[in-house]
Amino acid sequence: MSTDHRSPTPGAAHPLGAAPQPGGVNFAVHAPRATDVWVCLIETDEAGARTEQRLRLPAQTAGVHHGFVAGIGEGTRYCLRAAGPWEPENGLRFNEHKALVDPYARRLDGALGDGAALLPYGEDGGPSDTDSLPDIPLSVVTGAPPAPEPGPGVPWDRTVICEVHVGSYTARHPGVPEDLRGTYLGLAQPAVIEHLRRIGVTAVELLPVQACLTEPGVRDRGMRNHWGYSTGAYFAPDPRYAARDGQEVEEFAEMVSALHSAGLEVLMDVVYNHTAEESVAGPSLSWRGLDAPGYYLLENGEDLDYTGCGNTVDCASPAAVRMVLDSLRHFAGAFGVDGFRFDLASVLGRGRTGTGPQGPVIPFDHRAPLLTAIAADPILSTRKLIAEPWDATGEGYRVGGFPPVWAEWNDRYRDTVRDFFAGGATVGALASRVSGSQDLFGAQGRTPFSSINFITAHDGFTARDLVSYERKHNEANGENNRDGTDNNHSVNHGFEGGTTDPAILAARAAHVRALLATLLLSTGTPMLLGGDELGHTQYGNNNAYCVPEGTPAADAFAVDWDAADADLTAFVARVAAVRRAAPVLRQHEFFDGRATRDGEPDLAWFGADGTEMPGEDWQSPEERTLQAWVDGSDVRAPGRDAAVAEKDALIIWHAGGEATVVLGGPESCTHDWELIVDTTLPTGEPAGRTVYPSRAEITVSGPTVLAFQQV
């Protein structure tokens, strides 16, 4: 360590982090309980050894230590150190031997090193005297990225989301230059954008791209975090997806602008419920070394764990609320990100009150400070906000319980659709889900688009695996197949895993098409899992969150474009086009049985015999056919000419053995029907124009979806 001849001047307490200014950089660090905070400027020699110049921040305002350092600028590498009381019972574990990442760092350089060196405590439980500077990523002074291209502002009724892993989606794409595969710029390539547009996607939801630091327990097994749900810096794009070292900020911005130029929105999966520091038994990387009581939920100095990840961010604390809002505004403003999906979002609604027999219980409150602040923010409230409405506790399961500005992942939709085609869920349960889940989202002025409908996501089986495996196969994760859910609602059609049997392959393919057609034809906001449209497999792994350290992106659950199912891709494109062209399938109001201009209800349900579904059949396990007739004469969609009627629609779902179905509809419905989607066909496209008269009989068998429009 050396002491620089420069003495920082007081500078300003705002903004937090390292702010480049003419002549130098202003540093501001929230650490109200620290006695001293140092900014340490780092130099690295050719052998990789680090030396530091320690500069004490000379001023403190409202708990923020701050100072202006002259003569440095963008590209300066630094870390923080903090001194203060060692009071574990109060959550205070200050240790100036621990180099810390700036919570507001805009860029990180380097990786975690020796896990033992990162622990703030020694073998006796007191403060460790091991210096962690060689083992911590460095923060990098970084200015604002270039101004982004404006987002396309796709309305909710036209939104089709595709969840993708930046690395896995393009790592094996033959149309992406090799040096760009698995990177931000790879996702921005014309071949990828053209594919996304072809299959009807309007928004790309990126698995976490804020800088990730693999959890100690995963690192101990020789693995690395693949998904990214272990945040190490909330303001820094993850450097592992940069094509050029140190260019992740610029390349992330370039990716967003390229997608915007193509009419695609960018949504980020963000993880504000916990951090990479795990519990108090874990490392001191950043927040814990500066203000653990301000950033985490603690009880007697120990973490309260509502996330299953060791710690829980205190989303009622002013420090945490400010950090989350600043981070969201940074990506929404500086990068132009169009929306956010919040991991374990129930944590964001944890207030600060409540006790129970097992100790402190902090209940969910939809008016909690952070949820209220996001909804009231003039920038964030204009973005698409999506909640994963649960956490690791039973009390945290809150599907349908978020405020009106939020959309929510609907796992009940997922389970019901899976279960129906696997022979389980009733037609009544299916009807509730495919019509918008009004039972969950019908209150508080919400719309059907509040329901993010999905059948597969990163967490679970892919669509292909869902019909190929009856049980999970997660041995490669190193947890003896204990990880991942056992509640998959999956089938294997007579053989576990891969096969060359043509009958099994045909049955599986038809099953996948029925699942994806249901997703795209349901009322609500559909979300595809990137790769499902290509027949991607994870070989039965339903928790692909980690891979061995050093695994190249091409071998880390990468989508195999060379083995893509071209017919399936064409099928998804066709059904998405049908959805896009039919406002009757994406109305802004819930169906309520209201009489339309034709005098018929807006939606009516029919059984296999073509008559209206009687009450006793809704929950009968014997009923395996459901028909939905939607009146096109009174479509509720903003900006439409109310005098112009749409074509009526008829959709049939079948999940049993061979059966004869009489096309349903009210007595006044006497027009012919044109079949426009048939999931028994490889691309879903009937051969030629296929027209059926009213009340025609059709034979169906196995998982099947048929969609008709009025002639």
Coordinates of all heavy atoms in Angstrom, one line a residue, residues 595-659:
A595 N -73.6 -9.3 -23.7 CA -74.2 -9.5 -25.0 C -73.5 -8.5 -26.0 O -73.3 -7.3 -25.7 CB -75.7 -9.2 -24.9
T596 N -73.2 -9.0 -27.1 CA -72.5 -8.2 -28.2 C -73.6 -7.7 -29.1 O -74.8 -7.9 -29.0 CB -71.5 -9.1 -28.9 OG1 -72.2 -10.1 -29.6 CG2 -70.5 -9.7 -28.0
R597 N -73.1 -7.0 -30.2 CA -74.1 -6.5 -31.2 C -74.9 -7.6 -31.8 O -76.0 -7.3 -32.3 CB -73.3 -5.7 -32.2 CG -72.7 -4.4 -31.7 CD -72.1 -3.6 -32.8 NE -71.1 -4.4 -33.5 CZ -70.4 -4.0 -34.6 NH1 -70.5 -2.7 -35.0 NH2 -69.5 -4.7 -35.2
D598 N -74.4 -8.8 -31.9 CA -75.1 -9.9 -32.5 C -76.1 -10.5 -31.5 O -76.8 -11.5 -31.9 CB -74.1 -11.0 -32.9 CG -73.3 -10.5 -34.1 OD1 -73.7 -9.6 -34.8 OD2 -72.2 -11.2 -34.4
G599 N -76.1 -10.0 -30.3 CA -77.0 -10.6 -29.3 C -76.5 -11.8 -28.6 O -77.2 -12.4 -27.8
E600 N -75.3 -12.2 -28.9 CA -74.6 -13.4 -28.3 C -73.6 -12.9 -27.3 O -73.2 -11.8 -27.3 CB -73.9 -14.2 -29.4 CG -74.8 -14.7 -30.5 CD -75.9 -15.7 -30.0 OE1 -75.7 -16.2 -28.9 OE2 -76.8 -16.1 -30.8
P601 N -73.3 -13.8 -26.4 CA -72.3 -13.5 -25.4 C -70.9 -13.3 -26.0 O -70.7 -13.8 -27.1 CB -72.3 -14.7 -24.4 CG -72.8 -15.8 -25.2 CD -73.8 -15.2 -26.2
D602 N -70.0 -12.6 -25.4 CA -68.7 -12.3 -25.9 C -67.9 -13.6 -26.0 O -67.0 -13.8 -26.9 CB -67.9 -11.3 -25.1 CG -67.9 -11.6 -23.6 OD1 -68.4 -12.6 -23.2 OD2 -67.3 -10.8 -22.9
L603 N -68.1 -14.6 -25.1 CA -67.4 -15.9 -25.1 C -68.4 -17.0 -24.7 O -69.1 -16.8 -23.7 CB -66.2 -15.8 -24.2 CG -65.5 -17.1 -23.9 CD1 -64.8 -17.7 -25.1 CD2 -64.5 -16.9 -22.8
A604 N -68.4 -18.1 -25.4 CA -69.2 -19.2 -25.0 C -68.4 -20.5 -25.1 O -67.5 -20.6 -25.9 CB -70.4 -19.3 -25.8
W605 N -68.7 -21.4 -24.2 CA -67.9 -22.7 -24.1 C -68.8 -23.8 -24.5 O -70.0 -23.9 -24.2 CB -67.4 -22.9 -22.7 CG -66.6 -21.8 -22.1 CD1 -66.9 -20.8 -21.3 CD2 -65.2 -21.6 -22.4 NE1 -65.9 -20.0 -21.0 CE2 -64.8 -20.5 -21.6 CE3 -64.2 -22.3 -23.1 CZ2 -63.5 -20.0 -21.6 CZ3 -62.9 -21.8 -23.2 CH2 -62.6 -20.6 -22.4
F606 N -68.2 -24.8 -25.2 CA -68.9 -25.9 -25.7 C -68.1 -27.2 -25.5 O -66.9 -27.2 -25.5 CB -69.2 -25.8 -27.2 CG -70.0 -24.6 -27.5 CD1 -69.5 -23.3 -27.7 CD2 -71.4 -24.7 -27.6 CE1 -70.2 -22.2 -28.0 CE2 -72.2 -23.5 -27.8 CZ -71.6 -22.3 -28.0
G607 N -68.8 -28.3 -25.4 CA -68.2 -29.6 -25.2 C -68.0 -30.3 -26.6 O -68.2 -29.7 -27.6
A608 N -67.6 -31.5 -26.5 CA -67.3 -32.3 -27.8 C -68.5 -32.4 -28.6 O -68.4 -32.5 -29.9 CB -66.7 -33.6 -27.4
D609 N -69.7 -32.4 -28.0 CA -70.9 -32.6 -28.8 C -71.4 -31.4 -29.4 O -72.5 -31.4 -30.1 CB -72.0 -33.3 -27.9 CG -72.4 -32.4 -26.8 OD1 -71.8 -31.3 -26.6 OD2 -73.3 -32.9 -26.0
G610 N -70.7 -30.3 -29.2 CA -71.1 -29.0 -29.9 C -72.2 -28.2 -29.1 O -72.7 -27.2 -29.6
T611 N -72.6 -28.7 -27.9 CA -73.6 -28.0 -27.1 C -72.8 -27.3 -26.0 O -71.7 -27.7 -25.6 CB -74.6 -29.0 -26.5 OG1 -74.0 -29.9 -25.7 CG2 -75.3 -29.7 -27.7
E612 N -73.5 -26.3 -25.4 CA -72.9 -25.6 -24.3 C -72.5 -26.5 -23.2 O -73.3 -27.4 -22.8 CB -73.7 -24.4 -23.9 CG -73.8 -23.3 -24.9 CD -74.2 -21.9 -24.2 OE1 -73.6 -21.6 -23.2 OE2 -75.1 -21.3 -24.8
M613 N -71.4 -26.2 -22.6 CA -70.9 -27.1 -21.5 C -71.8 -27.0 -20.3 O -71.9 -26.0 -19.7 CB -69.4 -26.7 -21.1 CG -68.8 -27.5 -20.1 SD -68.2 -29.1 -20.8 CE -66.9 -28.5 -21.9
P614 N -72.4 -28.1 -19.9 CA -73.2 -28.1 -18.7 C -72.3 -28.0 -17.4 O -71.2 -28.4 -17.4 CB -73.9 -29.5 -18.7 CG -73.1 -30.3 -19.6 CD -72.4 -29.4 -20.6
G615 N -72.9 -27.5 -16.4 CA -72.2 -27.2 -15.2 C -71.5 -28.4 -14.6 O -70.3 -28.3 -14.1
E616 N -72.1 -29.6 -14.7 CA -71.5 -30.8 -14.0 C -70.3 -31.3 -14.8 O -69.5 -32.1 -14.3 CB -72.5 -31.9 -13.9 CG -73.1 -32.4 -15.3 CD -74.3 -31.7 -15.7 OE1 -74.6 -30.6 -15.2 OE2 -75.1 -32.2 -16.6
D617 N -70.1 -30.9 -16.1 CA -69.0 -31.3 -16.9 C -67.7 -30.6 -16.6 O -66.6 -31.0 -17.0 CB -69.3 -31.3 -18.3 CG -70.3 -32.4 -18.7 OD1 -70.6 -33.3 -17.8 OD2 -70.8 -32.5 -19.9
W618 N -67.8 -29.3 -16.1 CA -66.6 -28.5 -16.0 C -65.5 -29.1 -15.2 O -64.3 -29.0 -15.5 CB -67.0 -27.2 -15.3 CG -67.7 -26.2 -16.3 CD1 -69.0 -25.8 -16.3 CD2 -67.1 -25.5 -17.4 NE1 -69.2 -24.9 -17.3 CE2 -68.1 -24.8 -18.0 CE3 -65.8 -25.5 -17.9 CZ2 -67.8 -24.0 -19.1 CZ3 -65.6 -24.7 -19.0 CH2 -66.6 -24.0 -19.6
Q619 N -65.8 -29.8 -14.2 CA -64.8 -30.4 -13.3 C -64.7 -32.0 -13.4 O -64.1 -32.6 -12.6 CB -65.0 -30.1 -11.8 CG -65.1 -28.6 -11.6 CD -63.8 -27.8 -12.1 OE1 -62.7 -28.4 -12.1 NE2 -64.0 -26.6 -12.7
S620 N -65.3 -32.5 -14.5 CA -65.3 -33.9 -14.7 C -64.0 -34.4 -15.3 O -63.6 -33.9 -16.4 CB -66.5 -34.4 -15.6 OG -66.3 -35.7 -16.0
P621 N -63.3 -35.3 -14.7 CA -62.0 -35.8 -15.3 C -62.3 -36.5 -16.6 O -61.3 -36.8 -17.4 CB -61.5 -36.7 -14.3 CG -62.6 -37.2 -13.5 CD -63.6 -36.0 -13.5
E622 N -63.5 -36.9 -16.9 CA -63.8 -37.6 -18.1 C -63.9 -36.7 -19.4 O -63.8 -37.2 -20.5 CB -65.2 -38.4 -18.0 CG -65.2 -39.3 -16.8 CD -64.1 -40.4 -16.8 OE1 -63.8 -40.9 -17.9 OE2 -63.5 -40.6 -15.8
E623 N -64.2 -35.4 -19.1 CA -64.3 -34.5 -20.2 C -62.9 -34.1 -20.7 O -62.2 -33.4 -19.9 CB -65.1 -33.3 -19.8 CG -66.6 -33.6 -19.5 CD -67.3 -34.1 -20.7 OE1 -67.0 -33.7 -21.9 OE2 -68.2 -35.0 -20.5
R624 N -62.6 -34.4 -21.9 CA -61.2 -34.1 -22.4 C -61.2 -33.2 -23.6 O -60.2 -33.0 -24.3 CB -60.5 -35.4 -22.8 CG -60.4 -36.4 -21.7 CD -59.9 -35.9 -20.3 NE -58.6 -35.2 -20.4 CZ -58.2 -34.3 -19.5 NH1 -59.1 -33.9 -18.5 NH2 -57.0 -33.8 -19.6
T625 N -62.4 -32.6 -23.9 CA -62.5 -31.6 -25.1 C -63.1 -30.4 -24.6 O -64.2 -30.4 -23.9 CB -63.3 -32.3 -26.2 OG1 -62.7 -33.5 -26.6 CG2 -63.3 -31.4 -27.4
L626 N -62.6 -29.2 -25.1 CA -63.1 -27.9 -24.7 C -63.1 -27.1 -26.0 O -62.1 -27.1 -26.8 CB -62.3 -27.2 -23.7 CG -62.7 -25.8 -23.3 CD1 -64.1 -25.8 -22.6 CD2 -61.7 -25.2 -22.4
Q627 N -64.2 -26.4 -26.3 CA -64.3 -25.5 -27.4 C -64.6 -24.1 -26.9 O -65.5 -23.9 -26.0 CB -65.4 -25.9 -28.4 CG -65.2 -27.3 -29.0 CD -66.2 -27.5 -30.1 OE1 -66.2 -26.9 -31.1 NE2 -67.1 -28.5 -29.8
A628 N -63.9 -23.1 -27.4 CA -64.2 -21.7 -27.0 C -64.6 -20.9 -28.3 O -63.9 -20.9 -29.3 CB -62.9 -21.0 -26.4
W629 N -65.8 -20.4 -28.2 CA -66.3 -19.6 -29.3 C -66.3 -18.1 -28.9 O -66.8 -17.7 -27.9 CB -67.8 -20.0 -29.7 CG -68.4 -19.1 -30.7 CD1 -68.4 -19.4 -32.1 CD2 -69.2 -18.0 -30.5 NE1 -69.1 -18.4 -32.7 CE2 -69.6 -17.5 -31.8 CE3 -69.7 -17.3 -29.4 CZ2 -70.4 -16.4 -32.0 CZ3 -70.5 -16.2 -29.6 CH2 -70.8 -15.7 -30.9
V630 N -65.6 -17.3 -29.7 CA -65.4 -15.9 -29.3 C -66.1 -15.0 -30.4 O -65.8 -15.1 -31.6 CB -63.9 -15.5 -29.3 CG1 -63.8 -14.0 -28.7 CG2 -63.2 -16.4 -28.4
D631 N -67.0 -14.1 -30.0 CA -67.8 -13.3 -30.9 C -66.9 -12.1 -31.3 O -66.3 -11.4 -30.5 CB -69.0 -12.7 -30.1 CG -70.0 -12.1 -31.0 OD1 -69.6 -11.4 -32.0 OD2 -71.2 -12.2 -30.8
G632 N -66.8 -11.9 -32.6 CA -66.0 -10.9 -33.2 C -66.7 -9.6 -33.4 O -66.1 -8.6 -33.9
S633 N -68.0 -9.5 -33.0 CA -68.8 -8.3 -33.3 C -68.5 -7.1 -32.3 O -69.0 -6.0 -32.6 CB -70.3 -8.6 -33.4 OG -70.8 -8.9 -32.1
D634 N -67.9 -7.4 -31.2 CA -67.7 -6.4 -30.2 C -66.4 -6.5 -29.5 O -66.2 -6.8 -28.3 CB -68.8 -6.5 -29.2 CG -68.8 -5.3 -28.1 OD1 -68.2 -4.3 -28.5 OD2 -69.3 -5.5 -27.0
V635 N -65.3 -6.4 -30.3 CA -63.9 -6.6 -29.8 C -63.5 -5.4 -29.0 O -63.6 -4.3 -29.5 CB -63.0 -6.9 -31.0 CG1 -61.5 -6.9 -30.5 CG2 -63.3 -8.2 -31.7
R636 N -63.0 -5.6 -27.8 CA -62.6 -4.5 -26.9 C -61.1 -4.3 -27.1 O -60.3 -5.1 -26.5 CB -63.0 -4.8 -25.5 CG -64.5 -5.1 -25.3 CD -65.3 -3.9 -25.6 NE -66.8 -4.1 -25.5 CZ -67.5 -3.9 -24.4 NH1 -66.9 -3.4 -23.3 NH2 -68.8 -4.1 -24.4
A637 N -60.7 -3.4 -27.9 CA -59.3 -3.1 -28.1 C -59.2 -1.6 -28.4 O -59.9 -1.1 -29.3 CB -58.7 -3.9 -29.2
P638 N -58.3 -0.8 -27.7 CA -58.2 0.6 -28.0 C -57.8 0.9 -29.4 O -57.0 0.1 -30.1 CB -57.1 1.0 -27.0 CG -57.1 0.0 -26.0 CD -57.4 -1.3 -26.7
G639 N -58.3 2.0 -30.0 CA -57.8 2.4 -31.3 C -58.6 1.8 -32.4 O -58.3 2.1 -33.6
R640 N -59.5 0.8 -32.1 CA -60.2 0.1 -33.2 C -61.5 0.9 -33.5 O -62.1 1.5 -32.6 CB -60.5 -1.3 -32.8 CG -59.3 -2.2 -32.7 CD -59.7 -3.6 -32.5 NE -60.4 -4.1 -33.7 CZ -61.7 -4.2 -33.8 NH1 -62.5 -3.9 -32.7 NH2 -62.3 -4.7 -34.9
D641 N -62.0 0.8 -34.7 CA -63.2 1.3 -35.1 C -64.3 0.3 -34.6 O -64.4 -0.8 -35.1 CB -63.3 1.4 -36.7 CG -64.6 2.1 -37.1 OD1 -65.5 2.2 -36.3 OD2 -64.7 2.4 -38.3
A642 N -65.1 0.8 -33.7 CA -66.1 -0.1 -33.0 C -67.1 -0.6 -34.0 O -67.8 -1.6 -33.8 CB -66.8 0.6 -31.9
A643 N -67.3 0.1 -35.2 CA -68.3 -0.3 -36.1 C -67.8 -1.4 -37.0 O -68.6 -2.0 -37.8 CB -68.7 0.9 -37.0
V644 N -66.5 -1.7 -37.0 CA -66.0 -2.7 -37.8 C -65.9 -4.0 -37.0 O -65.1 -4.1 -36.0 CB -64.6 -2.4 -38.4 CG1 -64.0 -3.5 -39.2 CG2 -64.7 -1.1 -39.2
A645 N -66.6 -5.0 -37.4 CA -66.6 -6.3 -36.7 C -65.5 -7.2 -37.2 O -65.1 -7.1 -38.3 CB -67.9 -7.0 -36.9
E646 N -64.9 -7.9 -36.2 CA -63.9 -8.9 -36.6 C -64.6 -10.3 -36.9 O -65.8 -10.5 -36.6 CB -63.0 -9.1 -35.4 CG -62.2 -7.9 -35.0 CD -61.1 -7.6 -36.1 OE1 -60.7 -8.5 -36.8 OE2 -60.7 -6.4 -36.1
K647 N -63.8 -11.2 -37.4 CA -64.4 -12.5 -37.6 C -64.5 -13.3 -36.3 O -63.6 -13.1 -35.4 CB -63.4 -13.3 -38.5 CG -63.3 -12.7 -39.9 CD -62.4 -13.5 -40.8 CE -62.3 -12.9 -42.2 NZ -61.3 -13.6 -43.1
D648 N -65.5 -14.1 -36.1 CA -65.6 -14.9 -35.0 C -64.5 -15.9 -35.0 O -63.9 -16.2 -36.0 CB -67.0 -15.7 -35.0 CG -68.2 -14.8 -34.8 OD1 -68.0 -13.6 -34.5 OD2 -69.3 -15.3 -35.1
A649 N -64.1 -16.4 -33.8 CA -63.1 -17.4 -33.7 C -63.6 -18.6 -32.9 O -64.4 -18.5 -32.0 CB -61.9 -16.8 -32.9
L650 N -63.1 -19.7 -33.3 CA -63.4 -21.0 -32.6 C -62.1 -21.8 -32.3 O -61.4 -22.0 -33.3 CB -64.4 -21.8 -33.4 CG -64.8 -23.2 -32.8 CD1 -65.6 -23.0 -31.5 CD2 -65.6 -24.0 -33.8
I651 N -61.9 -22.1 -31.1 CA -60.6 -22.9 -30.7 C -61.1 -24.1 -30.0 O -61.9 -24.1 -29.1 CB -59.7 -22.0 -29.9 CG1 -59.3 -20.7 -30.5 CG2 -58.4 -22.8 -29.6 CD1 -58.5 -19.8 -29.7
I652 N -60.5 -25.2 -30.4 CA -60.8 -26.5 -29.8 C -59.5 -27.1 -29.2 O -58.4 -27.1 -29.8 CB -61.2 -27.5 -30.9 CG1 -62.5 -27.1 -31.5 CG2 -61.4 -28.9 -30.3 CD1 -63.0 -27.9 -32.7
W653 N -59.6 -27.5 -27.9 CA -58.5 -28.2 -27.2 C -59.0 -29.6 -26.9 O -60.1 -29.8 -26.4 CB -58.2 -27.5 -25.9 CG -57.6 -26.1 -26.0 CD1 -56.3 -25.8 -26.1 CD2 -58.3 -24.9 -26.0 NE1 -56.1 -24.5 -26.2 CE2 -57.3 -23.9 -26.1 CE3 -59.6 -24.5 -25.9 CZ2 -57.7 -22.5 -26.2 CZ3 -60.0 -23.2 -26.0 CH2 -59.0 -22.2 -26.1
H654 N -58.1 -30.6 -27.2 CA -58.4 -32.0 -26.9 C -57.2 -32.6 -26.4 O -56.1 -32.4 -26.9 CB -58.9 -32.7 -28.2 CG -59.2 -34.1 -28.0 ND1 -60.3 -34.6 -27.4 CD2 -58.5 -35.3 -28.3 CE1 -60.3 -35.9 -27.3 NE2 -59.2 -36.3 -27.9
A655 N -57.4 -33.5 -25.3 CA -56.3 -34.1 -24.7 C -56.6 -35.6 -24.3 O -56.0 -36.1 -23.4 CB -55.9 -33.4 -23.4
G656 N -57.5 -36.2 -25.1 CA -57.8 -37.6 -24.8 C -57.5 -38.5 -26.0 O -56.7 -38.2 -26.9
G657 N -58.2 -39.7 -26.0 CA -58.1 -40.6 -27.1 C -58.9 -40.1 -28.3 O -59.4 -38.9 -28.3
E658 N -59.1 -41.0 -29.2 CA -59.8 -40.6 -30.4 C -61.2 -40.2 -30.1 O -61.9 -40.9 -29.3 CB -59.8 -41.7 -31.5 CG -60.4 -41.3 -32.8 CD -60.2 -42.3 -33.9 OE1 -59.1 -42.7 -34.1 OE2 -61.3 -42.7 -34.5
A659 N -61.7 -39.1 -30.6 CA -63.1 -38.6 -30.4 C -63.6 -37.8 -31.6 O -62.8 -37.3 -32.4 CB -63.1 -37.7 -29.1

